[in-house]
Amino acid sequence: MNLPVRPRRNRRSESIRALVRETTLTAADLIYPLFVQEGGDNTPIDSMPGCTRWCLDGLLREAGAAHALGVPAVVLFPKVPDALKTRAAEEAWNPEGLVPRAVRALKAAHPTLTILTDVALDPYNADGHDGLVAADGRVLNDETVDALCRQALCQARAGADIVAPSDMMDGRVAALRAALDAEGFTEVGILSYTAKYASAFYGPFRGALDSAPKSGDKKTYQMDPANAREAVREALLDAAEGADMLMVKPAGAYLDIIARLRDAVTLPIAAYQVSGEYLMIKSAAAAGWLDEEKVVMESLTAIKRAGADMILTYFAREVAARLQAAVKSNQ
Ligand code: PBG
């Protein structure tokens, strides 16, 4: 054939492929979500095989191990004892609560690790919703934003570097910024869950924390999976309200949203490979149907290629370990 243009020339060998590679995943791209619980036990999570709810000691070890492999940040999710869950979710701003204790311990043990905290009421709320629930079942916006400010301040006082509101209430980024600044926390960043969809992919996570809504669903605050322009609208609002970073969640089924936000704003973009995405890979691999290592790398590379600067993933520690081993074997 007379073919002057042969794209395969650039794929001829691993070293040529390395030269022309457009996207490279590194441990520095990863944020490791970690579950924490009261007491002295580390408990395997039934709904998320391979994940653990850590006691404080276990949390320090796991976070330290990931950090030593180059993972720059963790985000914490608490399992709050049922007895502490109330309709007003007051435990969310208890300075002696599980999250502030965990943040203080992590900061002391690993000063260079960036600590993100989740801002939302669902682990603390007797109703299992991210916001406060009125008698008629509506999730209240403005009252919730006040509660979120208290929660974020409690986390900032404990030493959180970045607060990450995952609640999807309107106006919370501006309110959090103002509350943090008023107390002098001008350096505490806000990673806003900007485009968080009402997704069935969160099921295993709710099992891990026993945080599923007691009634109804989250569709009055989380976004409709059918919508993309609305994500741009949320992104422009969050940027104007002072967010430092934006997030798309879930990641794998929403790569188009990541790409659209990448074009719409200049802020860094995070994407969350959520529990259901994790579980689909884990369970298919456990059945011998997929090659876990390869599928994990491909899925994370695709998320980065779509435009994510950072990825929250339950695979963070093992991916970082694998990347380090790959570097060593090339030396
Ligand atoms: C709640 C929250 C959820 C997740 C992170 N924060 C669940 C939800 O919105 O119901 C899900 C994460 C995952 O599925 O891995 N604020």
Side-chain angles (χ1 to χ4, degrees), residues 2-21:
N2 177 19
L3 275 183
V5 179
R6 290 181 182 265
R8 286 185 56 192
R9 277 196 287 269
N10 285 349
R11 302 180 205 133
R12 262 177 70 210
S13 67
E14 180 47 36
S15 49
I16 292 177
R17 289 194 294 275
L19 287 174
V20 301
R21 187 159 295 134

Side-chain angles (χ1 to χ4, degrees), residues 2-235:
N2 177 19
L3 275 183
V5 179
R6 290 181 182 265
R8 286 185 56 192
R9 277 196 287 269
N10 285 349
R11 302 180 205 133
R12 262 177 70 210
S13 67
E14 180 47 36
S15 49
I16 292 177
R17 289 194 294 275
L19 287 174
V20 301
R21 187 159 295 134
E22 299 174 39
T23 307
T24 306
L25 187 75
T26 72
D29 302 322
L30 305 177
I31 299 174
Y32 192 14
L34 290 169
F35 299 101
V36 51
Q37 66 182 7
E38 296 287 0
D41 295 335
N42 298 314
T43 311
I45 298 174
D46 291 339
S47 63
M48 297 175 67
C51 289
T52 303
R53 274 193 314 270
W54 302 101
C55 65
L56 284 187
D57 278 351
L59 175 76
L60 298 186
R61 266 197 304 279
E62 182 68 8
H67 193 38
L69 292 165
V71 174
V74 297
V75 58
L76 301 180
F77 294 104
K79 176 155 168 50
V80 177
D82 278 344
L84 296 177
K85 296 187 183 185
T86 57
R87 302 213 60 202
E90 288 99 337
E91 182 62 14
W93 51 90
N94 173 3
E96 293 309 318
L98 184 53
V99 166
R101 272 181 286 133
V103 171
R104 288 193 291 265
L106 275 172
K107 268 283 141 195
H110 309 297
T112 59
L113 178 69
T114 290
I115 301 172
L116 289 87
T117 47
D118 187 61
V119 180
L121 302 182
D122 50 316
Y124 307 92
N125 185 331
D127 302 286
H129 276 287
D130 292 26
L132 301 171
V133 182
D136 63 2
R138 280 179 311 126
V139 174
L140 299 168
N141 193 86
D142 301 13
E143 295 82 349
T144 297
V145 172
D146 283 341
L148 298 174
C149 288
R150 292 184 195 209
Q151 180 183 24
L153 280 174
C154 170
Q155 296 167 347
R157 288 179 199 128
D161 297 294
I162 298 174
V163 296
S166 67
D167 57 287
M168 290 299 281
M169 296 300 122
D170 292 332
R172 91 274 212 218
V173 171
L176 288 171
R177 188 68 272 156
L180 290 167
D181 289 354
E183 264 205 36
F185 294 114
T186 53
E187 294 196 336
V188 172
I190 299 176
L191 165 55
S192 174
Y193 286 63
T194 293
K196 177 171 177 181
Y197 286 88
S199 172
F201 285 100
Y202 309 150
F205 174 98
R206 294 177 188 169
L209 297 183
D210 195 13
S211 63
K214 298 286 180 289
S215 67
D217 52 41
K218 299 192 173 185
K219 291 179 184 168
T220 70
Y221 44 106
Q222 298 180 349
M223 283 179 51
D224 183 340
N227 292 355
R229 286 195 315 264
E230 191 181 348
V232 176
R233 185 178 188 217
E234 289 279 5

